[in-house]
Amino acid sequence: MYTLTRNCIMYILICIVLCMTTHVAARSALLQLCDSPVDIVFVLDTSASIGTRNFAKQINFIHDVVDMLNIGPGSRQSRVAAVSFSSNVVSEFGFNGYQNKADVLNAIHNVKYESGSSTRTYLGLEYVHKTVFAVGNGERPGIVNVVVVLTDGNTNPGHSPITGMEGKQLTQTEASYIKSLPANVFAIGVGSGVDKTEIDGIASKPSETFSLFVDSYDSLDTSVIKNTVLTRVCEVVPVPAPSQPQPAPTQPTPPPTQPPQREDPACYKKKADVFFVVDTSSSLNVFENVKKELNFVGDVIDAFEVGSDKVRVGMMTFSNNPQMLFQLDDFKTKEEIAKVLMEMNADEWKGGNTYIDEALRLLMKEGLSTSHGSRNGVPQIAVIITDGGATDRRKFEKAVNELRQTNYIVFAIGVGPDRKPVELKKIASDSSHVFEVENVQSLQAIRQELVVKLCEQGDQPAPPVVPCEGAQADVIFVADSSRSIGYVAFNELKRFAVDVVKRFTVSPSDIQVGLIKFGNDTNFEFTLGSYRDQNEVLKAISHVKYLQGMQLTYTNKALNLLTRQGFSNENGGRGGQIPKIAILITDGEPTDIEATRIAAEKGRQEGIIIFAIGVGQYIDQTGLDIMASSPTETHSFAVDNYAALSSIEESLAEKTCTAAKKTKQG
């Protein structure tokens, strides 16, 4: 009995050694065939018809084929990318994603089975030629491109406006675009439900080389099929002579009548400032979902011509606090942006709540601000991506109200089952700028439509560089310097006044500017006739000092000084038909409300147009409205803090100048 057992064990060991030797020999021969590098993309079906068990066999197949390639970052090594598709397309990883074999193999094992109800093969193929092989995404000139498509059925658009026949045609069209890159397309049909005509149409020619049919996933996950596929792949890769450069790949199929552009043509020659605000809160569950959001943003940016004189791009993430990734004036290339997004890792992800109000305020203060690269005369576009409702609804409402005072074109994208359609509509400029998807994987399904809409904005006229050009007005800032403000906030107030004045044409014949400061008492910092050009006015504002001590908010005294002396001839006022405009900024309730109401009414009777701006949580809208001119919805503003004043800068300047022009014409 002992001898028999020992003999059995020896027999098994011999078999194992022989099998391993055979496998190593076969693998070594294949490596010799693929000594030249290849850029290979696997496009795999994750539809419900496959099932979990068979999906695992599909993953094993890809894993083992890749394991027999010479993967690495070197110029003579191969690179791998992967895309999956069912009802939606999922970018698993690109050529730039992983630079060594171990990481690639691990990424293949991490591909998730979506079990989608549809088989939209055309989405996977479209993503390959528009994104995976797009310039800057890692595909290398002079290296043979190979695409391996695996599916167990035929194109099925499912619940979609596209019919089954249209879907099949789309699949063939997208495949022809890939082949025109050029790229060699291998199509593998698994099982009895495969449409042979569709597989042959996807594949390059001749079909006997590039089309492969197997009866089941069990057959796919065998060494015979793996060796067959890799042998055919390696056969299309030319082996250069030792001292000769590798020749360019030959085109296996003729291009379609109208081959696609490598970038989205809708964005050629367009200028815009585009800022992305991306939710990275804990509700995304895993960092992998955060990466898919970032990959989506990268794919959208890839459609732009990025540059200081073209499309400028900025981006932040947010959860408990917003985090700036890069700003408009960084002028990063698409390659640099892709690197920034790629370098984000799980260790940096903190999760947290959804404080979208903080993100919107940072967008207005820094994201789309002139101090960080925003350009006058260029469309200002914000793309907000969020997967849930705002944590603080009250602050959200206030931030959205501030956002509406800007001239931004805002797109809102809601992701996942917890998205809030009502909030998305409040964020977006209009209902056509709202997108909703079921999960992060589905973001790719809206990529093309979003790109088209973003690029269309480049044709829209933006607000003019100097909205007050050609207008005449005498404008006086009335600035609160009471104790409740503080040095830091007062400096924000001055910065706001500077930014508004930058939009004016300042001269004795155009717009003149003065400034009144108030607390317990009130006085002129400088009058309308003090300075004759913009630079002098800007310098004067920067030199204004904050009042010290227990200063109260005697707004009525400031309004009385404004009415009696602000626009007098002695102080530079021009009288006649020249508009008289006051911009009053305060952060608290007037010390004497009734006296303030009377003073404001007297000012309006004297023809002064008053814009009233309230700052902070202690502002009462009714108190603002008694100071502002009518209609109050045009002349009254409320913001959450002094840092948020920048969010209304453009709107205030434009309304000020509109008032000036109307009065002048009247």
Side-chain angles (χ1 to χ4, degrees):
M1 182 70 177
Y2 172 77
T3 304
L4 179 61
T5 303
R6 184 177 63 180
N7 289 340
C8 288
I9 292 172
M10 290 298 295
Y11 177 77
I12 292 169
L13 288 173
I14 291 170
C15 288
I16 291 172
V17 171
L18 287 173
C19 290
M20 290 178 63
T21 305
T22 304
H23 175 72
V24 170
R27 179 174 167 185
S28 176
L30 287 167
L31 281 173
Q32 290 174 6
L33 284 173
C34 276
D35 266 349
S36 295
V38 59
D39 288 338
I40 183 168
V41 187
F42 290 91
V43 184
L44 58 152
D45 189 344
T46 61
S47 56
S49 57
I50 294 177
T52 304
R53 176 178 174 275
N54 286 334
F55 181 75
K57 294 182 180 298
Q58 184 177 213
I59 292 297
N60 288 340
F61 165 80
I62 297 172
H63 175 279
D64 290 350
V65 170
V66 169
D67 195 29
M68 291 188 284
L69 290 170
N70 179 19
I71 307 295
S75 60
R76 293 190 58 78
Q77 293 178 292
S78 296
R79 294 186 183 178
V80 177
V83 174
S84 63
F85 69 90
S86 54
S87 301
N88 301 295
V89 63
V90 178
S91 171
E92 301 297 347
F93 56 92
F95 291 126
N96 287 330
Y98 303 101
Q99 297 296 305
N100 64 69
K101 182 181 289 188
D103 288 343
V104 171
L105 295 177
N106 185 57
I108 290 170
H109 273 304
N110 287 333
V111 173
K112 290 187 175 180
Y113 178 42
E114 298 297 329
S115 188
S117 59
S118 306
T119 308
R120 297 173 181 171
T121 317
Y122 50 87
L123 290 181
L125 299 177
E126 178 190 40
Y127 188 82
V128 168
H129 78 77
K130 284 192 172 181
T131 303
V132 176
F133 284 114
V135 175
N137 285 351
E139 182 259 358
R140 299 165 290 177
I143 304 297
V144 170
N145 297 323
V146 171
V147 178
V148 179
V149 182
L150 299 101
T151 180
D152 77 330
N154 51 66
T155 298
N156 169 26
H159 298 293
S160 167
I162 298 173
T163 65
M165 187 60 67
E166 289 171 337
K168 291 178 183 293
Q169 183 57 52
L170 273 175
T171 293
Q172 301 302 306
T173 300
E174 298 297 343
S176 68
Y177 288 163
I178 294 174
K179 289 178 276 191
S180 73
L181 292 175
N184 301 277
V185 181
F186 292 86
I188 303 174
V190 185
S192 58
V194 170
D195 184 337
K196 185 178 187 302
T197 303
E198 181 171 308
I199 293 295
D200 286 340
I202 293 172
S204 298
K205 304 300 179 186
S207 297
E208 55 266 26
T209 297
F210 292 95
S211 296
L212 186 67
F213 298 91
V214 294
D215 58 6
S216 68
Y217 281 97
D218 288 327
S219 299
L220 180 71
D221 189 22
T222 61
S223 58
V224 173
I225 298 300
K226 294 168 188 174
N227 290 341
T228 299
V229 170
L230 191 57
T231 300
R232 293 187 185 184
V233 168
C234 294
E235 284 174 348
V236 302
V237 181
V239 181
S243 60
Q244 299 294 323
Q246 181 172 333
T250 56
Q251 182 172 313
T253 57
T257 306
Q258 294 182 333
Q261 301 286 343
R262 292 300 299 274
E263 296 174 89
D264 297 83
C267 280
Y268 288 162
K269 310 300 181 187
K270 300 295 177 64
K271 291 184 180 182
D273 294 336
V274 185
F275 207 96
F276 293 86
V277 181
V278 181
D279 185 349
T280 58
S281 57
S282 297
S283 51
L284 286 163
N285 296 321
V286 293
F287 182 69
E288 181 183 352
N289 288 333
V290 176
K291 290 293 287 185
K292 287 176 180 177
E293 278 190 330
L294 300 179
N295 289 341
F296 169 72
V297 172
D299 292 341
V300 173
I301 292 172
D302 194 55
F304 305 149
E305 288 188 280
V306 175
S308 60
D309 194 41
K310 297 175 183 176
V311 177
R312 295 185 182 180
V313 181
M315 183 177 175
M316 75 172 79
T317 59
F318 73 93
S319 54
N320 287 344
N321 297 295
Q323 179 69 43
M324 196 71 69
L325 294 187
F326 52 90
Q327 295 181 306
L328 297 174
D329 52 4
D330 286 339
F331 305 151
K332 292 185 180 295
T333 64
K334 286 190 279 190
E335 291 78 10
E336 290 174 316
I337 291 171
K339 185 178 180 182
V340 170
L341 299 181
M342 188 186 306
E343 287 177 349
M344 282 198 66
N345 57 62
D347 293 337
E348 299 174 16
W349 183 50
K350 305 301 181 185
N353 294 314
T354 308
Y355 283 100
I356 191 170
D357 54 291
E358 297 290 342
L360 294 179
R361 291 197 177 92
L362 186 60
L363 168 73
M364 294 181 281
K365 180 183 178 183
E366 296 185 21
L368 286 172
S369 70
T370 53
S371 59
H372 290 284
S374 172
R375 294 166 289 179
N376 289 314
V378 171
Q380 304 295 295
I381 303 172
V383 181
I384 319 295
I385 304 175
T386 179
D387 78 325
T391 300
D392 191 319
R393 291 296 303 277
R394 185 185 66 83
K395 289 184 177 180
F396 168 77
E397 294 292 343
K398 295 187 78 172
V400 167
N401 286 336
E402 293 169 25
L403 187 67
R404 288 177 184 152
Q405 299 289 342
T406 70
N407 287 315
Y408 302 163
I409 301 163
V410 185
F411 291 83
I413 302 175
V415 183
D418 296 327
R419 64 187 185 273
K420 303 296 182 185
V422 173
E423 291 186 8
L424 296 174
K425 290 177 182 177
K426 290 182 178 181
I427 294 169
S429 298
D430 59 57
S431 57
S432 68
H433 289 39
V434 174
F435 292 84
E436 295 185 59
V437 295
E438 292 301 321
N439 48 50
V440 290
Q441 292 85 352
S442 303
L443 282 169
Q444 293 297 340
I446 65 168
R447 184 258 184 194
Q448 186 64 21
E449 184 181 357
L450 175 64
V451 165
V452 170
K453 288 189 175 183
L454 289 173
C455 295
E456 285 174 351
Q457 305 306 321
D459 294 325
Q460 305 301 317
V465 175
V466 185
C468 277
E469 189 172 4
Q472 290 179 312
D474 289 341
V475 179
I476 298 178
F477 287 88
V478 183
D480 188 346
S481 187
S482 59
R483 64 184 178 186
S484 56
I485 294 179
Y487 287 98
V488 174
F490 191 73
N491 285 334
E492 294 280 4
L493 184 155
K494 292 197 298 180
R495 186 177 297 114
F496 169 70
V498 163
D499 289 341
V500 172
V501 171
K502 283 181 179 178
R503 296 176 178 274
F504 297 162
T505 302
V506 179
S507 79
S509 59
D510 293 291
I511 292 180
Q512 295 189 132
V513 179
L515 192 146
I516 291 173
K517 182 173 66 177
F518 70 94
N520 289 340
D521 296 304
T522 185
N523 62 279
F524 284 103
E525 283 292 324
F526 55 90
T527 62
L528 292 169
S530 300
Y531 303 108
R532 300 176 63 82
D533 63 41
Q534 188 185 79
N535 286 335
E536 291 180 350
V537 171
L538 297 180
K539 187 180 295 184
I541 294 173
S542 67
H543 289 158
V544 174
K545 303 294 184 184
Y546 173 59
L547 290 173
Q548 298 184 15
M550 299 297 289
Q551 301 292 330
L552 300 178
T553 310
Y554 282 101
T555 317
N556 60 301
K557 294 181 180 181
L559 290 171
N560 285 331
L561 180 64
L562 171 79
T563 303
R564 291 196 302 266
Q565 301 179 38
F567 300 97
S568 66
N569 292 334
E570 294 80 3
N571 286 327
R574 289 171 287 180
Q577 294 297 310
I578 302 297
K580 297 181 288 187
I581 299 174
I583 300 173
L584 188 150
I585 309 168
T586 181
D587 79 332
E589 184 177 338
T591 301
D592 190 330
I593 295 179
E594 181 59 20
T596 298
R597 185 191 65 77
I598 294 171
E601 179 61 29
K602 186 173 183 180
R604 291 192 294 267
Q605 290 175 355
E606 293 293 325
I608 302 172
I609 300 167
I610 303 176
F611 289 92
I613 303 172
V615 183
Q617 59 182 321
Y618 300 112
I619 287 297
D620 176 67
Q621 189 64 49
T622 303
L624 274 183
D625 290 347
I626 66 170
M627 294 184 283
S629 292
S630 181
T632 54
E633 56 266 25
T634 298
H635 297 87
S636 178
F637 297 83
V639 296
D640 201 54
N641 52 52
Y642 278 93
L645 282 169
S646 60
S647 68
I648 66 168
E649 165 208 322
E650 187 172 4
S651 178
L652 173 68
E654 189 171 2
K655 289 178 179 180
T656 300
C657 299
T658 299
K661 291 175 183 178
K662 285 181 179 179
T663 310
K664 179 184 175 185
Q665 292 168 357

